[in-house]
Amino acid sequence: MRPEFTLPSSSSSSSADRRLNALVRHLATASMVSQTAVAFSPTSGFHGDSVFSHVVRAPEDPILGVTVAYNKDPSPVKLNLGVGAYRTEEGKPLVLNVVRKAEQMLLNDKSRVKEYLPIVGIAEFNKLSAKLIFGADSPAIRENRVTTVQCLSGTGSLRVGAEFLARHYHQKTIYIPQPTWGNHPKVFTLAGLSVKTYRYYDPTTRGMNFQGLLEDLGSAPSGSIVLLHACAHNPTGVDPTLQQWEQIRQLMRSKALLPFFDSAYQGFASGNLDEDAQSIRMFVADGGECFVAQSYAKNMGLYGERVGALSVVCRAADVASKVESQLKLVIRPMFSNPPIHGASIVATILKDSNMFNEWTIELKAMADRIISMRKQLFDALHARGTPGDWSHIIKQIGMFTFTGLNSKQVEFMTREYHIYMTSDGRISMAGLSSKTVPHLADAIHAAVTRMS
Amino acid sequence: MFRICLQGAYRDDNGKPVVLECVREAERRIAGNLNMEYLPMGGSVKMVEETLKLAYGENSELIKEKRIAAVQALSGTGACRLFADFQKRFCPDSQIYIPVPTWANHHNIWRDAQVPQKTYHYYHPESKGLDFAAMIDDIKGMSLFSSQNAPNGSFFLLHACAHNPTGVDPSEEQWREISHHIKAKGHFAFFDMAYQGFASGDPEKDAKAIRIFLEDGHHIGIAQSYAKNMGLYGQRVGCLSVLCEDEKQAVAVKSQLQQLARPMYSNPPVHGALIVSTILSDPDLKKQWLKEVKVMADRIIGMRTALRGNLEKLGSPLSWQHITNQIGMFCYSGLTPEQVDRLTNEFHIYMTRNGRISMAGVTTGNVEYLANAIHEVTK
């Protein structure tokens, strides 16, 4: 512990005092002093203590750990259902044709330079992203009440929005659904918000615990921030119906709860961009305010390019403008300005009506393949007479299915059938193909009948 | 109307932004070949490997011994921020000492990371050079007149080369002394290296300060950026490294850096990293890059010589030695805010009011005009 010395102010006048001050300062030592660092040897000075000696290794990321284990497995029938990235029928990653086209266009445009973007990113990208999520005819856009800033995919958008709220919003608590994406609590905590949960998923029905949700949001302090998955809830795949969304909206507005939407799957869930944005548009239509984090990782397959946008819908245009100026102050000391490549691809596609249409077709194809995998798995379990109700497989939506399998059953499936998933029983439908569905169905059947 | 903009990114002799040929070639090779899957949290392993070689040395024992914890970061800003967050989490009682002046965003970064900051003397306005004695006093915590005295084990932010905004770098001898005193006080040296290769034209030379500290046994941290030296500005490619005691520690530190990156952006952007690793792992492309970096650095050095020469030819009563003594993109001219305003209003020359000139904006086409204007407002 640091010894406590009262340091006289440096404005003391006599030289004796100043010498005393200097001495006193030398006696005060920091708690992390490196005692062996004084030894000065040009050839062998490598063995002093580091100030970071006490740092311990962080635990492995649970989701990444799945892929690590999968990679180690030599079995020819192994299946990776942990991955949160789309795979084709052949089990390969996919770059959309329209994305390749856009990339080529950018490459061939010699006038393009790689200069810094403005802090808020590409203006065109921001405008088009807002249009995409709020609708081209959105009153909020027409009235200039939206500010949109380019960020690093969904994660980055959430983080920037949360940092802004921690600084400028009167309520520092955010309510997140139980369960939610594993990274959500960390993002909000590091941003300076405190995190509480609201009930969401009902394990007995494998559907929504709507009553619990209403109760928990109903008892949240007025003005609290509420994280909402716009569609295709991760990890459960369970979404509110439109009627339920309307009830949520009314409740939240009555308590002035601030909605923070995470939109990572627009177009990817139902196959229709507008349909997947309905929840958000409902909230915007009532004239109220909200935050929206948009990601292009899945729906444009731009994963590693880190393309996303944070939009803040405000009550008035001048408020939106002031909010933007403050968002810039959050962004600059974090990464200065966002990466140009991915957002350029998105802007290229969104602004060209032909390319936009091409994109919607390819997007629907991905969504349809996943929906088809759901149907195939459900049918396969039905055909095997696997005990239990498996209708949630086709009722849930988006990339993931919360199977309802427990960790013992998951372990069994990995051991005996070389099927890899997160221990909460979440499987990525994107990792399935017509060829591998039977194997998975066999594994689930075995797990359910032999392990409980 | 003749206009000169002297703030911002590199320009060629026609005043145009530059995309390096090696970068264009790398992009051609990358396009259409690879998918866009997520990188690991720590970024592109290949890119990081090559980047460490640049900073620590091609054949560095430290790299071979795997003692360096390193992750891809969002250019220099992202690397500094990640380090600042890491410093806050694991040395919560520590403070960062920042030179006066420095890149303005340094203050923002450590402030947002909630690390208390202090300053140390650096620039000497009278000589337009380094205030070496005062800087050493600050490191030693000996300054009688400063309330900023550094307790042992403080963190010191150092510009590895081409100090921004002054262009004033310590000499090699001065670096050795700085290293000695930092070691004696058990301070942690964190280098921001945004201009490797861009300063002298030789990346090895520009890494000299870092190599001195490594020889002296410091466990340093480094923020590296490819924004300027590869012209990759908007791609946001950089690297944060922390030298540790051993491989086990490096693994631990890296895992903790990743824990800070995950709730910030999950994993870093792939495109720029691919460009870098494509160039640096191909001997021909790497050679081409080194040539192109030297061209940029030489042009700037040439403009410094020309500007100073022109001012002296005009018979300016002042000394303009500092223009060629300083190094890198920026020149701290010594012009007052009022003189800068006159340059803008009367001569349409744009620069920051602290008198900082971006030499990258000076060309053979405008250097005479610039010298004339400076002479007018200072004679």
Side-chain angles (χ1 to χ4, degrees), chain B residues 168-356:
Chain B
V168 171
D169 284 352
S171 66
E172 187 176 321
E173 299 71 43
Q174 287 174 325
W175 272 122
R176 291 194 187 283
E177 225 184 300
I178 293 167
S179 167
H180 172 79
H181 290 293
I182 285 184
K183 191 121 196 267
K185 295 286 287 179
H187 295 322
F188 184 96
F190 184 75
F191 285 94
D192 186 352
M193 183 156 67
Y195 297 98
Q196 188 183 13
F198 204 93
S200 71
D202 177 1
E204 282 299 293
K205 200 150 161 228
D206 291 344
K208 189 63 189 176
I210 287 175
R211 305 291 170 82
I212 287 171
F213 273 66
L214 293 174
E215 279 165 31
D216 291 350
H218 295 265
H219 293 110
I220 61 176
I222 309 178
Q224 284 170 271
S225 165
Y226 286 103
K228 289 83 167 171
N229 62 10
M230 257 198 213
L232 293 178
Y233 305 96
Q235 303 290 344
R236 320 310 293 125
V237 204
C239 177
L240 167 66
S241 59
V242 179
L243 175 60
C244 303
E245 294 160 18
D246 51 36
E247 181 178 351
K248 179 159 172 277
Q249 208 47 40
V251 166
V253 168
K254 180 178 171 178
S255 74
Q256 294 293 352
L257 291 174
Q258 289 175 178
Q259 289 290 309
L260 290 163
R262 175 92 165 122
M264 202 186 284
Y265 48 84
S266 279
N267 41 77
V270 62
H271 189 73
L274 269 179
I275 295 176
V276 173
S277 60
T278 301
I279 291 172
L280 295 183
S281 57
D282 178 316
D284 290 330
L285 277 181
K286 182 168 181 180
K287 228 188 290 175
Q288 185 175 5
W289 171 58
L290 290 170
K291 248 196 259 171
E292 292 189 85
V293 153
K294 190 166 191 316
V295 164
M296 290 196 287
D298 284 348
R299 195 184 86 67
I300 290 190
I301 291 168
M303 287 301 100
R304 289 182 177 276
T305 308
L307 181 59
R308 173 184 168 183
N310 271 289
L311 282 163
E312 287 169 354
K313 220 175 11 165
L314 287 165
S316 171
L318 307 172
S319 164
W320 296 102
Q321 237 186 325
H322 54 285
I323 295 180
T324 48
N325 284 343
Q326 291 166 8
I327 191 169
M329 193 162 338
F330 301 111
C331 165
Y332 238 34
S333 60
L335 294 167
T336 66
E338 295 70 35
Q339 288 168 335
V340 170
D341 288 342
R342 280 192 64 196
L343 283 179
T344 307
N345 298 328
E346 296 173 36
F347 296 93
H348 313 288
I349 294 173
Y350 298 82
M351 64 176 79
T352 45
R353 290 187 88 234
N354 55 7
R356 183 192 82 167

Side-chain angles (χ1 to χ4, degrees), chain B residues 95-99 118-120 148-151 154-157:
Chain B
Q95 43 203 357
I96 183 87
Y97 279 76
I98 295 182
K118 295 272 171 73
T119 57
Y120 63 90
Q148 313 269 39
N149 280 315
S154 296
F155 286 63
F156 269 75
L157 171 69

Side-chain angles (χ1 to χ4, degrees), chain A residues 67-78:
Chain A
T67 298
V68 169
Y70 167 84
N71 285 336
K72 287 206 187 103
D73 190 331
S75 163
V77 298
K78 64 180 180 177

Side-chain angles (χ1 to χ4, degrees), chain A residues 74-324:
Chain A
S75 163
V77 298
K78 64 180 180 177
L79 200 50
N80 187 354
L81 301 181
V83 68
Y86 181 81
R87 293 286 176 269
T88 62
E89 257 288 310
E90 293 73 39
K92 297 269 176 292
L94 176 68
V95 178
L96 302 187
N97 283 328
V98 73
V99 166
R100 285 267 178 252
K101 229 188 260 191
E103 247 201 335
Q104 206 51 46
M105 284 168 62
L106 293 170
L107 193 66
N108 295 335
D109 182 357
K110 287 289 174 279
S111 73
R112 285 187 60 79
V113 291
K114 302 206 179 313
E115 303 270 290
Y116 291 127
L117 289 179
I119 296 175
V120 297
I122 302 177
E124 198 174 40
F125 166 86
N126 290 334
K127 277 202 159 54
L128 291 165
S129 294
K131 268 179 62 182
L132 182 66
I133 191 72
F134 299 117
D137 54 352
S138 171
I141 295 181
R142 257 189 290 118
E143 292 157 22
N144 281 318
R145 293 189 286 112
V146 185
T147 171
T148 306
V149 296
Q150 181 188 335
C151 292
L152 283 110
S153 209
T155 308
S157 306
L158 290 165
R159 178 63 179 267
V160 169
E163 293 250 349
F164 171 88
L165 288 168
R167 283 172 211 204
H168 300 287
Y169 189 56
H170 62 93
Q171 265 283 10
K172 315 282 189 216
T173 304
I174 183 163
Y175 284 77
I176 65 178
Q178 183 87 289
T180 192
W181 181 45
N183 203 21
H184 275 143
K186 299 187 196 121
V187 171
F188 298 125
T189 305
L190 284 213
L193 296 174
S194 65
V195 176
K196 291 207 156 83
T197 59
Y198 61 91
R199 280 169 287 171
Y200 189 86
Y201 177 72
D202 185 348
T204 50
T205 61
R206 293 179 191 146
M208 272 210 81
N209 181 353
F210 194 53
Q211 215 26 60
L213 180 152
L214 291 176
E215 278 171 28
D216 288 348
L217 293 189
S219 58
S222 171
S224 302
I225 312 159
V226 179
L227 177 74
L228 302 162
H229 294 225
C231 69
H233 180 271
N234 176 6
T236 68
V238 171
D239 284 350
T241 63
L242 281 179
Q243 290 78 10
Q244 289 173 325
W245 270 122
E246 174 57 20
Q247 275 183 270
I248 294 171
R249 184 196 67 77
Q250 279 182 26
L251 171 61
M252 286 184 61
R253 293 310 195 194
S254 75
K255 300 200 42 120
L257 301 176
L258 180 65
F260 198 149
F261 283 96
D262 186 351
S263 174
Y265 299 98
Q266 187 189 6
F268 205 93
S270 69
N272 182 295
L273 288 160
D274 293 318
E275 207 177 304
D276 290 346
Q278 290 230 56
S279 59
I280 293 175
R281 296 184 187 178
M282 218 183 265
F283 276 75
V284 174
D286 69 15
E289 301 181 314
C290 66
F291 279 57
V292 180
Q294 251 173 304
S295 166
Y296 289 97
K298 288 84 170 170
N299 62 10
M300 274 217 196
L302 290 174
Y303 306 96
E305 301 293 347
R306 319 310 292 128
V307 203
L310 169 71
S311 285
V312 183
V313 179
C314 309
R315 281 214 177 277
D318 68 317
V319 174
S321 163
K322 282 188 272 189
V323 166
E324 181 167 309

Side-chain angles (χ1 to χ4, degrees), chain A residues 53-54 56 114 155 304 336, chain B residues 36 77 90 234 245 256 266-267:
Chain A
S53 309
H54 60 295
V56 295
K114 302 206 179 313
T155 308
S336 277
Chain B
M36 287 151 167
T77 307
F90 291 100
E245 294 160 18
Q256 294 293 352
S266 279
N267 41 77

